[in-house]
């Protein structure tokens, strides 16, 4: 039921988070992080020998999960839970230290006042013996010790230890609150992984779980615990949208089917052979390599050429295009953007004696 309610929230409030940290009001915490898939969790670092306080924003009310949205004074109870782990010098969670939680209900201001008043009236009508059954009121909320959150115990762990790590920290796309902090290199690695790491019908349930974690579907791992690769691949696009919501359902379907982002430009290059060099292709003739450009920039072109020559992009000083008249034109972003699809070039390199770099010439 909890999972269905969370998915209902995700469907009805796309992009909204259930839980956030009020950064300006919080004290003594660093590196607050949230994950796009985990709407009800966040993480941060704190020093236990110093004072720390965290102001939590709950962005939904308890009556949003009741059949009637207005709900009156009834509503689904929430639980605020804090799981604490020690970290090593690399920032990895090593050992579970403590877990505590409390139950809360969240109402709009008038509803909250009305509920507090009603609760007080109910207690006042009870006998002294019955009142003792209730917890005493406190000026501040007390968190009581509890067991760790289940998701923190079902995760792949660091190779050097057997202790659990929170699911949202192990994800390769863990970002701070602003998406701009994700590095382009990370996104490129994920794109490459999603295009080459396909889910197979022969994948066991365990392999399927690992595949889900690698591709940022950790929040659905518990739902698909007993699913093999064949079970998931049999599901239609509509089935996954109904289970995971429109955004994650479409992404899961495309990832399973190996649908990669198409390159914006494809060009073919042939490495110029030196005199006396034996032909690479049996029977002679030139062999061309395909370069797929996702970004129409000189930097992207340099990276693809460097990969072809097994060098670093920094070793390429300039890229020139040699015209039929023999002149060399410096390649710019604008020139790359005006390359035609599936153009072919003969590529040669000239060593720069001053910088020990390479000049690349496209003919």
């Amino acid at each position: 039921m909890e999972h269905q309610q969370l998915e209902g929230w995700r469907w009805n409030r796309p992009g909204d988070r259930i839980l956030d940290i009020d950064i300006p009001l919080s004290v003594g915490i660093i590196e607050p992080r949230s994950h796009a898939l985990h709407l009800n969790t966040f993480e941060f670092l704190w020093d236990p020998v110093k004072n720390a306080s965290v102001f939590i924003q709950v962005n939904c009310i308890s009556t949003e999960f009741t059949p009637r949205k207005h709900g009156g004074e009834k509503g689904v109870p929430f639980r605020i839970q804090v799981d604490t782990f020690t970290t090593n010098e690399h920032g990895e969670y090593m050992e579970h230290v403590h877990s505590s939680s409390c139950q809360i209900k969240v109402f709009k201001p008038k509803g909250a006042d009305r509920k507090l008043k009603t609760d007080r009236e109910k207690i006042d009508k009870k006998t002294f013996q019955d009142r003792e059954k209730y917890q005493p009121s406190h000026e501040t909320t007390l968190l009581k010790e509890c067991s760790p959150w289940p998701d923190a115990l079902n995760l792949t762990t660091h190779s050097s230890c057997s202790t659990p790590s929170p699911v949202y920290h192990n994800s390769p796309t863990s970002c701070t609150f602003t998406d701009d902090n994700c590095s382009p290199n990370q996104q490129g690695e994920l794109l490459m992984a999603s295009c080459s790491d396909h889910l197979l019908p022969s994948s066991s349930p365990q392999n399927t779980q690992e595949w889900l974690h690698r591709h940022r579907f950790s929040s659905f791992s518990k739902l698909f615990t007993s699913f093999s690769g064949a079970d998931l691949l049999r599901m239609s696009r509509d089935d996954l949208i109904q289970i995971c919501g429109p955004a994650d359902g479409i992404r899961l379907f495309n990832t399973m089917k190996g649908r990669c982002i198409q390159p914006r430009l494809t060009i073919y290059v042939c490495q110029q052979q030196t005199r006396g060099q034996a032909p690479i292709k049996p029977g002679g003739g030139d062999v061309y390599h395909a370069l797929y450009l996702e970004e129409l920039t000189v930097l992207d072109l340099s990276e693809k050429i460097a990969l072809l020559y097994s060098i670093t992009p920094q070793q390429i000083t300039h890229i020139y295009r040699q015209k039929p008249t023999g002149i060399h034109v410096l390649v710019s972003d604008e020139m790359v953007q005006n390359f035609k699809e599936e153009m072919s070039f003969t590529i040669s390199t000239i060593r720069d004696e001053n910088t020990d770099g390479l000049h690349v010439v496209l003919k």
Side-chain angles (χ1 to χ4, degrees):
M1 184 176 68
E2 174 191 329
H3 178 77
Q4 291 175 348
Q5 289 171 342
L6 287 174
E7 290 310 306
W9 165 274
R10 191 191 303 270
W11 179 277
N12 295 321
R13 304 279 292 271
D16 289 352
R17 289 187 51 79
I18 291 179
L19 213 60
D20 274 322
I21 298 180
D22 192 328
I23 302 295
L25 292 179
S26 299
V27 177
I29 66 171
I30 59 174
E31 297 184 22
R33 297 172 182 267
S34 66
H35 193 289
L37 293 180
H38 303 279
L39 306 180
N40 61 332
T41 61
F42 52 79
E43 62 167 326
F44 55 87
L45 299 178
W46 64 289
D47 187 343
V49 301
K50 298 180 181 178
N51 290 331
S53 63
V54 183
F55 278 73
I56 299 173
Q57 294 176 335
V58 181
N59 301 323
C60 61
I61 57 177
S62 294
T63 52
E64 290 192 59
F65 298 99
T66 54
R68 296 180 180 179
K69 294 299 180 184
H70 57 279
E73 297 168 10
K74 295 182 179 180
V76 174
F78 302 148
R79 181 171 294 278
I80 300 294
Q81 178 152 335
V82 180
D83 296 306
T84 305
F85 295 81
T86 58
T87 59
N88 60 12
E89 63 273 12
H90 303 295
E92 298 164 333
Y93 294 148
M94 300 298 294
E95 181 181 355
H96 174 258
V97 176
H98 187 262
S99 291
S100 58
S101 67
C102 68
Q103 191 179 87
I104 65 169
K105 282 190 176 182
V106 182
F107 298 92
K108 292 182 179 179
K110 290 184 179 179
D113 293 339
R114 187 170 59 248
K115 175 156 181 64
L116 290 173
K117 180 181 178 181
T118 304
D119 288 346
R120 282 195 300 267
E121 290 175 350
K122 288 180 180 180
I123 293 176
D124 290 340
K125 293 179 181 178
K126 294 184 178 295
T127 63
F128 179 78
Q129 290 77 8
D130 290 336
R131 291 182 194 176
E132 290 184 340
K133 298 177 182 179
Y134 291 87
Q135 295 181 5
S137 60
H138 299 275
E139 293 183 359
T140 57
T141 303
L142 301 180
L143 276 66
K144 293 189 175 182
E145 190 168 355
C146 64
S147 58
W149 186 248
D151 287 347
L153 300 177
N154 298 324
L155 312 168
T156 54
T157 60
H158 193 267
S159 58
S160 62
C161 66
S162 59
T163 52
S165 302
V167 62
Y168 43 87
H169 187 80
N170 274 354
S171 171
T173 56
S174 168
C175 305
T176 54
F177 286 107
T178 57
D179 293 336
D180 296 340
N181 290 335
C182 295
S183 73
N185 292 335
Q186 266 187 332
Q187 297 170 358
E189 290 168 3
L190 289 170
L191 177 62
M192 293 291 289
S194 64
C195 294
S196 60
D197 181 15
H198 297 305
L199 181 66
L200 302 176
S202 58
S203 298
S204 65
Q206 182 179 357
N207 292 336
T208 303
Q209 288 289 304
E210 294 173 357
W211 183 89
L212 289 169
H213 283 292
R214 282 198 304 273
H215 293 274
R216 297 175 290 132
F217 296 107
S218 301
S219 59
F220 304 108
S221 60
K222 186 183 296 184
L223 181 65
F224 297 122
T225 299
S226 58
F227 279 61
S228 66
D231 295 330
L232 270 183
L233 290 168
R234 288 193 190 102
M235 302 183 74
S236 68
R237 184 173 182 269
D238 291 338
D239 291 337
L240 293 171
I241 290 176
Q242 186 175 358
I243 294 172
C244 305
D248 290 317
I250 294 172
R251 189 169 68 86
L252 178 55
F253 180 80
N254 290 340
T255 307
M256 286 196 313
K257 301 303 180 183
R259 296 189 177 185
C260 306
I261 300 174
Q262 295 297 318
R264 297 178 64 184
L265 178 68
T266 302
I267 62 174
Y268 303 110
V269 297
C270 171
Q271 293 174 270
Q272 189 176 42
Q273 298 182 18
T274 58
R275 292 182 180 179
Q277 181 180 355
I280 300 174
K281 189 174 68 173
D286 296 327
V287 176
Y288 283 81
H289 301 269
L291 302 184
Y292 302 105
L293 305 184
E294 288 85 19
E295 299 177 8
L296 304 182
T297 62
V298 176
L299 178 60
D300 192 19
L301 179 61
S302 298
E303 290 175 349
K304 299 302 187 296
I305 294 175
L307 189 63
L308 181 64
Y309 280 93
S310 300
I311 60 175
T312 62
Q314 290 75 19
Q315 291 178 261
I316 298 177
T317 307
H318 294 102
I319 301 178
Y320 299 96
R321 183 176 179 186
Q322 184 174 345
K323 304 298 287 183
T325 56
I327 65 171
H328 290 71
V329 181
L330 184 65
V331 175
S332 63
D333 290 347
E334 188 175 1
M335 181 182 290
V336 176
Q337 292 164 10
N338 282 280
F339 281 171
K340 294 181 180 179
E341 179 70 11
E342 296 191 342
M343 287 183 69
S344 58
F345 300 96
T346 301
I347 188 170
S348 60
T349 58
I350 302 172
R351 185 164 297 280
D352 188 336
E353 297 179 355
N354 296 324
T355 63
D356 201 30
L358 293 177
H359 294 299
V360 175
V361 180
L362 304 176
K363 297 181 183 179

